[in-house]
Every structure is written in C-alpha cells, then in structure tokens.
Amino acid sequence: MLDLNIQAKLTGFQLEVSTGFSLDCATAVIGPNGSGKTTLLRSIAGLLPSTGSIYLDGESWLDSSNNHIVSAHKRPVGYVSQSPVLLPHLTVENNLKFARWLSKYKRNRESSLDMQHVIESLDLHELLKRKPSALSGGETSRVALAQALTCHPSVLLLDEPLASVDFDRKAELLPYLRSILSEYEIPMLFVSHSLAEVAVLCEQTVVLRHGRIQSEGSTVDVLQGLEASDVVDDIGVVVHGTVVGHDKEFQLTRISFCGQSVVVPSTQSTEVDQVVRMRIRALDVALATTEPENISVRNVLRGTIHSIETSAASPFAQVVVGCGEEAIRAQVTRAAIVDLGLKESMNVFALIKSVTMEL
C-alpha cells in the first residue's frame, strides 16, 4: 500500500491528499485542468517540496513530524512526465543504460525487468543510436517509459504518457502497459485526460478537484458517477461483457452484455468466453421510447431510466439507463427530455453505435 497524507503549496494552489493506493492494481488519477494531478505525482516522486507523510509498504519516504525526507533520487519510482526530457548528449541506448546505473541508488535488489525485453516490447531497436534531438514526440515518450521501467521501480508514476503518441502506436502500447502489473508486478499511478485509456488500464480511479480528492473507488463506479465538470474528456461509463462469437466476414465481435447482445469491431486479442471491459460515451448514446426499425445503429438495448440530471445553465441532460445490473449514460438535450416525455422508471431503448465502444 502507498499511504499518503501530504500537503504541497504552490502559488495560488494547495494540494491536500490523504489516501492509500493499492499496489496490486493500476490506479488512475483524473480531474479537470489545475486540479493537482501533476502536483500529486511530483510530490510522491520527491520532485516537489511537501509536508506530511508518505509510506510504501511501511517504508517511510516522508515524515515531516520526524524531519525525515528521502530525496528524489533515492525513491524507487519510475516517473514519466508530460514532457519527458532525455539527456541530449547521450544516445537512446546510453540514456537507458544511465537510468539502469542510477537505479543502484534507489535500492539494492535484482530487477525482474530485462532491458532487452523492454527495448523489444517498446520497439526501440531502430532508435538506440539516435540522439534525443532526432526523436519525435511519440518516440521520446516511448524511450522515457522504457527509461522508467529500467530503473527497478517499486511504482510507476505516469503523467499522461500517451498524450504525444500517435493512434496506431497507442493501440500497441496500451496492451504493454496492461501487462506491466501482471508480468513485472509493478503498480502504477496513471494520470490521463482520456477516459478511454483509464477504462482500459486501471482498476481503481481517484478524481481530484481543487487539490483534494472528490471521489475514489473502482473505475467502473467512479466513471459512472462523474459529472461533466470533473473531467476534460467525454463522460461515459465502463461496463463488462463476455465475448460470445466473431463474425469474420464483417469483422465484428459479438458480446453478451446484461442479458442482451452488442457488436463491436473485431479485435484479434479477444477470445470467446473472455470477459472484457467496454467504455460507452454518453455522447454516443441516443434514446427512443419505441423500438426503432431499419436503422444503421447495430446496438439497441432495452433499459429503464434510473435518473435524469438537468441544469438550467446547460442545454443538455444526463440520463442514466439501467440495463440489468449495468447502467449506461446518454447525453441528450433538455428539449428532447420534454418532447419524448422521459421520466424516471420509464422503459426506453438505448441506441449505441458499435464503433464507439472501446475494448
């Protein structure tokens, strides 16, 4: 457990966080700009002066009551910032070797991480002889992640590590990030504005607002309860389903969800009977009071309205629709609520485009 009770002051801002992060899963840290996400990670890493206490499995990194502070270069963390900086005079290969050499100051132990395996996984072979000035933003992010992994970390602190990575490379890196915890037993705190990334990677989520924790818990529960002001990315939910088959002709995968069936574009990584998590954005859900016919939308789910959230300051409303034991959100206009006569406990049909469901 990573136990925190820390305070950090910046000009016009104060972070006050008291919580514990489980080390057996990946935890997302989300929230609007200026909520303290980066400040939290930098405080844990020792890069920002803070007071209070930080303990990792009983090992003290900070205890200001006893004037005890472990300096940043001795904390066993792998930190990837939003704009990673590599040593400009060294090649990529020597940057990685230097990170491995520095790790001896963090603690004395054998690492289960093999540098060559990290290089292969992140496809860095062609970059090894280059200098940082010859790397793209996405390439720099991949090298920085490899650097963080090669320093024998007890925990990874990732501050939007995929923000500058292109779509195709991101699709390749996400499965690798998922494997870090299971293969190497390295937990991570993952800051992101992309709820799709959070849904794929993280079992637990913490929402920060104005330097304090607004909510925390399982990713499924936290994303279900988000409000538009909590995040920059689109509101949505994470739901669970079971793969029941593949349509090779049309490259679709059929998934059993809350006693009903949905289809998504096929992915080679899913197998029949595999339990998967999907993210459904509220913007991509439409509602109907009668079952529609002859439409291109492939996913039409029967459900019951649990709640309707409206605000006079917005033209939109958030409708939570229960489908069995799961619930999804739909963002519709307040005018649509009136025109359709939508109300709580009403049976409706939720229309979801298959292309918007992310595995």
Side-chain angles (χ1 to χ4, degrees):
M1 182 71 76
L2 179 62
D3 292 303
L4 307 178
N5 184 7
I6 56 175
Q7 303 82 42
K9 291 184 178 181
L10 299 174
T11 303
F13 179 82
Q14 180 165 331
L15 177 77
E16 294 184 11
V17 170
S18 180
T19 189
F21 292 109
S22 173
L23 297 183
D24 62 359
C25 68
T27 300
V29 181
I30 64 175
N33 290 329
S35 60
K37 303 181 297 294
T38 296
T39 300
L40 175 63
L41 262 58
R42 288 177 59 82
S43 296
I44 295 171
L47 300 172
L48 187 69
S50 57
T51 59
S53 62
I54 301 175
Y55 285 87
L56 179 73
D57 281 343
E59 176 186 348
S60 176
W61 293 358
L62 171 68
D63 188 344
S64 55
S65 64
N66 294 320
N67 200 30
H68 172 70
I69 302 175
V70 175
S71 56
H73 73 279
K74 292 185 178 181
R75 297 188 186 187
V77 302
Y79 180 72
V80 179
S81 66
Q82 295 179 30
S83 302
V85 177
L86 306 176
L87 294 175
H89 61 289
L90 297 181
T91 63
V92 166
E93 183 176 21
N94 286 333
N95 265 283
L96 296 179
K97 289 180 177 178
F98 182 66
R100 175 57 63 95
W101 178 79
L102 279 179
S103 68
K104 69 181 183 180
Y105 292 103
K106 295 178 180 291
R107 60 178 172 177
N108 229 349
R109 74 173 181 92
E110 291 296 322
S111 174
S112 60
L113 286 167
D114 177 73
M115 183 183 292
Q116 287 305 313
H117 180 63
V118 172
I119 290 171
E120 291 173 5
S121 298
L122 294 174
D123 194 18
L124 300 179
H125 280 294
E126 294 184 1
L127 308 181
L128 292 178
K129 302 305 179 184
R130 293 191 201 174
K131 295 286 186 69
S133 59
L135 301 178
S136 68
E139 289 169 343
T140 300
S141 295
R142 285 158 51 203
V143 173
L145 179 58
Q147 197 175 51
L149 288 170
T150 58
C151 74
H152 305 196
S154 291
V155 60
L156 276 174
L157 306 177
L158 306 181
D159 193 352
E160 299 195 65
L162 304 179
S164 59
V165 179
D166 62 63
F167 180 83
D168 290 337
R169 181 64 66 184
K170 185 181 296 188
E172 296 174 7
L173 288 180
L174 281 171
Y176 182 68
L177 285 174
R178 280 204 303 264
S179 73
I180 289 175
L181 182 64
S182 59
E183 186 174 352
Y184 302 122
E185 297 184 343
I186 300 175
M188 68 177 78
L189 299 186
F190 182 80
V191 167
S192 179
H193 279 123
S194 170
L195 297 186
E197 294 172 8
V198 169
V200 168
L201 289 175
C202 303
E203 295 293 335
Q204 300 288 314
T205 295
V206 171
V207 181
L208 286 184
R209 191 169 181 82
H210 303 307
R212 292 167 176 78
I213 293 178
Q214 178 167 297
S215 63
E216 58 184 321
S218 73
T219 295
V220 172
D221 292 340
V222 170
L223 295 193
Q224 174 68 47
L226 283 181
E227 298 179 359
S229 59
D230 294 331
V231 290
V232 173
D233 200 0
D234 296 318
I235 286 180
V237 298
V238 178
V239 297
H240 295 88
T242 303
V243 176
V244 295
H246 300 284
D247 185 331
K248 294 183 179 179
E249 180 181 358
F250 295 106
Q251 297 179 304
L252 297 172
T253 293
R254 191 168 73 258
I255 297 173
S256 175
F257 165 64
C258 65
Q260 303 181 65
S261 180
V262 297
V263 293
V264 299
S266 290
T267 62
Q268 297 179 349
S269 59
T270 58
E271 300 177 355
V272 173
D273 294 330
Q274 178 181 344
V275 176
V276 295
R277 289 192 298 177
M278 302 174 288
R279 180 168 178 260
I280 305 172
R281 300 192 311 161
L283 283 172
D284 295 315
V285 179
L287 299 178
T289 56
T290 58
E291 187 169 8
E293 297 179 354
N294 302 321
I295 59 173
S296 62
V297 176
R298 296 294 86 189
N299 299 316
V300 179
L301 301 177
R302 293 178 174 85
T304 303
I305 295 178
H306 282 182
S307 64
I308 300 175
E309 305 166 11
T310 62
S311 170
S314 171
F316 297 105
Q318 296 288 328
V319 182
V320 178
V321 179
C323 299
E325 295 182 354
E326 301 275 10
I328 60 177
R329 280 177 173 260
Q331 179 170 298
V332 300
T333 63
R334 288 193 293 127
I337 299 291
V338 175
D339 291 343
L340 295 176
L342 300 182
K343 57 185 178 181
E344 291 184 9
S345 301
M346 184 177 181
N347 293 329
V348 293
F349 293 89
L351 286 63
I352 311 167
K353 293 182 179 180
S354 61
V355 293
T356 66
M357 304 184 72
E358 301 160 5
L359 295 175

